[in-house]
């Protein structure tokens, strides 16, 4: 039977710190025997296409498409 997860104020502060200011990304939390043992933060940075904007295309770059493969992360 699985042990109940133990999350104290220290871990909540760590999780909050890692999520703070993240605009695009994920937080992967690894649990071993009912305790958090590792956290992995993957953050994506998205930039507007300045070349298209310089040509006067009328688009503001608000439509963003991530063309990377659909793997993990």
């Amino acid at each position: 039977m699985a042990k109940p997860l133990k999350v104290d104020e220290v871990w909540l502060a760590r999780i909050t710190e890692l999520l703070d200011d993240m605009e695009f990304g994920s937080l992967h939390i690894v649990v071993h025997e009912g305790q958090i043992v590792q956290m992995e933060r993957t953050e994506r940075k998205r930039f507007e296409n300045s070349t298209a904007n310089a040509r006067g295309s009328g688009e503001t770059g608000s439509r963003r498409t991530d063309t990377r493969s659909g793997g993990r992360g």
Side-chain angles (χ1 to χ4, degrees), residues 47-62:
F47 303 94
E48 294 183 13
N49 187 346
S50 59
T51 307
N53 291 339
R55 285 185 267 150
S57 66
E59 297 220 11
T60 62
S62 61

Side-chain angles (χ1 to χ4, degrees), residues 7-18:
V7 182
D8 58 13
E9 294 298 320
V10 173
W11 279 110
L12 290 176
R14 290 175 180 168
I15 292 168
T16 301
E17 181 180 330
L18 288 172

Side-chain angles (χ1 to χ4, degrees), residues 1-7 31-36:
M1 184 168 184
K3 293 184 179 183
L5 181 62
K6 298 175 185 176
V7 182
V31 177
H32 182 71
E33 295 185 0
Q35 293 185 336
I36 296 173

Side-chain angles (χ1 to χ4, degrees), residues 37-49:
V37 294
Q38 179 177 333
M39 293 191 291
E40 301 173 15
R41 176 180 167 160
T42 303
E43 187 170 2
R44 306 279 189 226
K45 295 289 185 183
R46 298 186 180 188
F47 303 94
E48 294 183 13
N49 187 346

Side-chain angles (χ1 to χ4, degrees), residues 13-29:
R14 290 175 180 168
I15 292 168
T16 301
E17 181 180 330
L18 288 172
L19 290 174
D20 194 29
D21 297 327
M22 183 187 297
E23 189 173 359
F24 300 100
S26 61
L27 179 63
H28 181 87
I29 300 172

